[in-house]
Amino acid sequence: MKPSPGRQHNRATPTVDSVIIQRNQVEVNLEDELTAKISKVFLSDKFYRKPLNFQLRYLCNSVTPRSLCWEGSSHDILLRNIEIYLRNHLVDEAWEAYTDFKKLYGLPDDHLLSRFITELSYAREPKWLQRACDIIFLLPKKKSNVLHFDQLYSLSLSLARAQMPIPASMILRMMIEKDNIPPTNLLGPLMLHMVKKEIGTYLASNILIQICDLLQHSRSNWCTRKPDTTIFNLVLDSCSRYNLSFKAQQIIELMSLMGLVGDAYTIITIARIHAVIGQRNELKKFKICVDQVAGYLGHHYFPFYDSLMNLHFKFNDIDSVSKLIFDMISLSGTQKGPHKAFLIPLGSPNLKKGLKLQVLPHLLHENSLVQIERNEGFVTRKNKRLVFTNKTLAKLIVGYKRANRISELSKVLCRIQGNGWDEMHIYGLSADVIHACIHMGWLETAHDILDDMEQAGNLPNTDLYASLLTAYFESNKHKEGESLLKQIKKMGITLSDETRKATVSSKRSDLVKCLIQEMKKGDINCSVYEFNSSIYFFMKAEMIDDALKTYKCMQRMNIYPNVATYMYMMMGYSSLKMYRDITILWGDIKRGFDAGNLLMNIDLYEVLILNFLKGGYFETIMEVIVCMKKDEIYADKWLYKSEFLKLHKDLYKKLKFPNARTEAQSRRAEHVKAFRKWAGID
């Protein structure tokens, strides 16, 4: 039977499906051929592991494959499209094809999905990095085997480089929870990028604590997997830069627990941290070991002495400032001694429970990531020697003057000058101080120092007498001027007419500028630092009653507690599980903040929430969270979620509110539910 024309036509004409498949095959062949040619000319596997992202659609006349609406063919075609785009690194097109496929069929197979996430991880634009995270966070548990260590690490590093620390930390924590802790050589670069921002530093600190906690509870040999001193130094330095001082204290104690040995950079960073929160006694413990090497490493350790000098001024202790200057003089030029390790107590040295940190003060790595130059400007270096600055000298002069102890100031100046340590001063240290006092109008002070110098056998320059005499007459203090003139004649000093008629120079020296700035600041109230030091000691010793008495004494004397005060109080209460007392302290914190006497920070908020989680005070937790939102302070929900699951995993999980036995239980259940929702647990 002769076939009908219709059937013959259908047999000869290809289907729409076959046409598109053929066209796709032609396009694939063409793209493969072009890629191969370009690779031979420009690329070498030896130097470049990954094909370049050439936009091949501009080099050929191929038509972008279109998604089809019927399931039988569109499934394979969409998958093929994704593969083509991924092979040629066309991220936009691959995303469109992936989105179409996901709408119709869900997630692609594990291999293709893994390739897609990897491709997004190498993209430079933050939106693609974020989309890679979105895919990973939405993966069901059965698909978790798609995620491999290399893949997650590459994405986390790319996010950190792009200054996206929050998603970077989330990916890194996913790895850590699977016991895939990056080794030091990989963790270091990631942390280096994380700590470039304040939020990144805060998260990097929490992650470092999380890693060490997991390693300590691990059955495997964690000593070979622990982060090294360089990583700790990097995080500590960033904590000091962003004033995350109490987070830094946790990390310092963690170094001791992990058995790490601190180096010169560790000591410098710890000094900066103690200087910020006023822990002078803690910093003094390090001075013994630093003094051993400062003679030949003083040009590296000047930030340490700068921090200690800063603390002496905070405590208004000018005697300790003078002593430190004398110590620095005696250290200059001392020879190298034996290299040895020191054990520095953390907390009170008399406590049996106290930790100790081992340090090697002579150990100084050339390629350290810690910034040495950052300091307060009290101590600097010159010709590899420790040198105090005019800022220090100005604060010292003002301190002695306010205490009416000018004769002691003169002795300090004589002793410094006698050791040849006034090389920074043009006319000599004493002469510069007297000139500065005259310029400030402190004529009696200048006169007293002149007399003291004369009695000590250090005859001042004739110009100093002339300058002071001129200043007396210009200030209409003729009686004092005549008295000085008699004194000058008695000493056998002859002043020319030009000298007597000279006026006091209006040119300000650097010392004068520093004196003017210091006088603008007014008197220093060091009471809060002294009280905090006592509270810190009592809480470390678990002497809670004494700490509470000290705290109440502050309130009676109208000395406003600061963040350090409350942190020390909570530290003591928490160690004895006195969480209810922390709720009372929270009331004081709110009143201080509302009155404008307290500046809240991320450290204080975190300690509050963690302690209230331990105590089960969920209503108070939600109150703290509201305050954090108002202050626009970042909350590490991952940390709080982990702590909740550790302590209260099934708390009110299945309880229905109508089944609550009491009204209080019902309210508590509502607060727990609100926290679970906020932390992303449910």
Side-chain angles (χ1 to χ4, degrees), residues 57-73:
R57 56 185 170 177
Y58 299 118
L59 302 179
C60 64
N61 294 322
S62 61
V63 179
T64 303
R66 293 176 296 176
S67 300
L68 301 180
C69 58
W70 55 86
E71 184 176 341
S73 57

Side-chain angles (χ1 to χ4, degrees), residues 1-46:
M1 183 177 179
K2 192 176 181 180
S4 65
R7 288 185 180 178
Q8 194 176 22
H9 176 75
N10 289 339
R11 196 166 46 242
T13 304
T15 63
V16 174
D17 236 11
S18 63
V19 169
I20 292 178
I21 290 172
Q22 290 173 9
R23 185 166 56 189
N24 288 343
Q25 189 60 48
V26 170
E27 181 183 12
V28 170
N29 293 338
L30 180 57
E31 289 181 342
D32 288 345
E33 184 180 349
L34 282 170
T35 304
K37 289 180 179 179
I38 294 169
S39 298
K40 287 181 181 179
V41 177
F42 296 106
L43 306 182
S44 169
D45 291 336
K46 183 177 179 181

Side-chain angles (χ1 to χ4, degrees), residues 70-251:
W70 55 86
E71 184 176 341
S73 57
S74 63
H75 179 279
D76 295 335
I77 292 175
L78 284 171
L79 284 178
R80 188 60 177 161
N81 287 350
I82 296 173
E83 289 181 358
I84 293 170
Y85 296 138
L86 289 179
R87 184 184 306 160
N88 293 285
H89 315 295
L90 303 174
V91 184
D92 293 86
E93 290 81 351
W95 178 259
E96 291 180 10
Y98 165 79
T99 305
D100 291 340
F101 184 90
K102 189 171 179 292
K103 287 178 181 177
L104 292 172
Y105 309 109
L107 295 173
D109 63 81
D110 292 356
H111 177 69
L112 187 60
L113 185 62
S114 179
R115 283 179 57 196
F116 187 46
I117 293 171
T118 300
E119 187 64 34
L120 292 175
S121 301
Y122 281 103
R124 293 184 179 180
E125 295 182 46
K127 71 173 183 179
W128 297 123
L129 297 175
Q130 185 60 57
R131 285 178 177 178
C133 294
D134 295 340
I135 293 173
I136 290 173
F137 297 148
L138 294 174
L139 282 178
K141 289 185 179 180
K142 63 182 180 180
K143 285 276 188 181
S144 60
N145 59 341
V146 174
L147 308 173
H148 304 292
F149 173 84
D150 292 344
Q151 194 174 36
L152 290 174
Y153 175 79
S154 296
L155 177 56
S156 183
L157 183 60
S158 296
L159 289 162
R161 281 175 176 164
Q163 290 304 290
M164 300 169 68
I166 296 175
S169 69
M170 295 174 74
I171 298 296
L172 181 55
R173 278 166 160 165
M174 288 182 69
M175 299 166 61
I176 295 169
E177 287 184 346
K178 293 182 177 182
D179 201 29
N180 289 328
I181 300 173
T184 296
N185 63 320
L186 296 180
L187 185 61
L190 209 160
M191 290 291 191
L192 177 62
H193 293 289
M194 286 276 289
V195 299
K196 290 179 180 178
K197 286 187 176 181
E198 182 177 357
I199 294 299
T201 299
Y202 171 67
L203 290 170
S205 304
N206 282 346
I207 289 171
L208 186 57
I209 294 169
Q210 179 187 355
I211 289 173
C212 294
D213 184 61
L214 285 173
L215 290 176
Q216 286 179 301
H217 294 89
S218 173
R219 295 180 180 178
S220 60
N221 184 15
W222 58 267
C223 292
T224 59
R225 304 167 62 197
K226 64 182 179 182
D228 63 6
T229 300
T230 301
I231 291 177
F232 273 85
N233 285 349
L234 178 65
V235 176
L236 282 173
D237 181 56
S238 295
C239 284
S240 71
R241 192 185 315 122
Y242 294 113
N243 292 327
L244 299 173
S245 304
F246 296 97
K247 183 61 64 179
Q249 282 193 304
Q250 283 183 269
I251 295 172

